[in-house]
Amino acid sequence: MPQSYNELNAKTEFKNFLVRLGKIFSNISILGLILSSAGVMSFVALAFTFIFGFLLIVMSLGTIFVLVPNFSDIWLSVADTSSKIASFFMQNFYIFAGITIVFSILSFVLLITDRQSKHTARLVISGVIIAILLIFIIVALVGVGK
Amino acid sequence: MNTVKLKFTGVNPKLIPNIFVDGKNVKCKKNQFGSYEAQVQTENDEIELAFSRQLELKGKLWWLYALLSFIISVFGIFEPFYDRRCISTDCLFKIKLNGDEEIKVRFNTFSSSGKAVELETKNDVEEIKNSYEVDKVAKKRWITLLVVKVVVWIALAVVAGYFISKTI
C-alpha cells in the first residue's frame, strides 16, 4: 500500500510525462498543418492580390494610375513577394507534411494509451490532421505525376 | 466473498480521480448515464476506500520531466500548462460490509474548503479524510518552474537581440 495515495510512483510519473509529450506533439502538429497548407494559402493570397489590384483599376476607371503614379510597381512587387512566399512553402511542402504526420501519429499513440484521462478533442484533431495531410500529399503526388 | 458495487457521480471526465480499494487501484467504467461504475470483490468484512488526484509536480523526478518538456516543446512554446491550482483530493474511508453492497459516491466541485465527496450507503462508514486541499509542495514547485521559465525566456530574448544587432 502506498504511504500516501497522492504520492506518485515512478511508473505513473513516467506515464504522465508521456501524456505531456503527446500534448506537446499535438500542439506542434497543429502548427505543422498550418505550415503545410501555407503554400496553398499563399497561392490563394497571390490570386487575391491580382484580383484586388484588378478591381481597383476597374472601379477607379483607371484613375488609380493618376492618383498613385507607381501603382503598377507596388502591385507587381506585392504579387512578387507573395509568389516567393508561396513557392518557398510549396517547395518545402513534403518536409512540413512529413514532420507533421510523424508528430500527429506520435501524439495519437501517446494520448490514446492514457487510461486516466480522456483526450477526445486532441485525438480527433490528430486524426483530422493526418487525414488532411494524406489527402494533400496524394493530390500533390497526382499533380506532379501529371 | 463480498461484492461491492461502486457508483461515482459528478466526476469531471477530464480528471478522473484514482480510486483505491484496500490499496489497490480500481478501474472504473462509464455507464450509459454518464456516471462511472466499478465492482470489487473482497474476502474482508471491512474495506478501505480512498480517492486521490496525483499532481504531475508531486513526483520525485518532476524537475527532470519539466526540463525535458521545456526543451522538447521549443522552450515552452508548445507546452501545455501545469495545473496552476494544485488542488489534490485527499479522501480515505473505512466501510464495514454486510454482504453484497452498493456505495454511491458523489464528487463535489473543486474547492479548497468543504468535503470532496459525499457517500451514500447503508453500511457503517468511518470517515478518516475527506477534503480537497492545495498541495503546498506542488504549488511551490509550480512557482519555481514559472520563475525559471521567465528567467530563461528573458535570457533567450537577450541572446537573440544580441545576435540580431550583430547581423544588422
Side-chain angles (χ1 to χ4, degrees), chain B:
Chain B
M1 177 79 75
N2 292 316
T3 304
V4 184
K5 286 179 184 172
L6 296 162
K7 280 191 177 178
F8 306 97
T9 55
V11 180
N12 182 346
K14 285 184 180 175
L15 297 166
I16 301 166
N18 290 299
I19 297 152
F20 298 94
V21 174
D22 291 333
K24 287 178 185 169
N25 200 341
V26 175
K27 295 260 158 49
C28 53
K29 285 183 180 176
K30 198 176 184 178
N31 66 18
Q32 56 186 348
F33 305 109
S35 53
Y36 291 81
E37 289 178 342
Q39 200 161 311
V40 182
Q41 289 192 319
T42 178
E43 296 281 355
N44 303 334
D45 295 331
E46 187 182 74
I47 57 163
E48 192 180 75
L49 182 63
F51 310 107
S52 76
R53 187 165 170 247
Q54 295 166 328
L55 298 166
E56 278 185 282
L57 293 174
K58 279 285 282 182
K60 282 179 185 170
L61 295 171
W62 71 276
W63 57 272
L64 177 67
Y65 292 133
L67 179 72
L68 287 173
S69 301
F70 187 67
I71 294 165
I72 294 167
S73 64
V74 195
F75 301 108
I77 295 171
F78 298 104
E79 192 179 21
F81 294 110
Y82 282 97
D83 184 8
R84 183 171 58 87
R85 294 188 297 173
C86 300
I87 295 173
S88 64
T89 315
D90 201 8
C91 301
L92 185 60
F93 301 93
K94 280 189 176 175
I95 302 166
K96 286 193 174 155
L97 305 176
N98 306 315
D100 288 354
E101 315 294 341
E102 188 174 280
I103 301 166
K104 287 182 183 173
V105 183
R106 186 166 59 83
F107 282 82
N108 297 324
T109 50
F110 277 134
S111 71
S112 55
S113 58
K115 289 187 173 183
V117 297
E118 304 286 344
L119 250 63
E120 271 183 47
T121 177
K122 290 172 185 171
N123 305 54
D124 292 334
V125 178
E126 185 190 345
E127 184 182 298
I128 299 164
K129 291 184 225 169
N130 184 7
S131 65
Y132 285 124
E133 58 181 28
V134 177
D135 194 306
K136 286 176 186 170
V137 175
K139 190 78 180 175
K140 201 175 168 184
R141 287 174 180 176
W142 187 87
I143 293 166
T144 308
L145 209 56
L146 181 71
V147 171
V148 170
K149 279 181 184 178
V150 170
V151 170
V152 172
W153 286 330
I154 292 169
L156 282 172
V158 170
V159 170
Y162 173 76
F163 280 108
I164 289 166
S165 67
K166 273 246 173 183
T167 48
I168 292 169

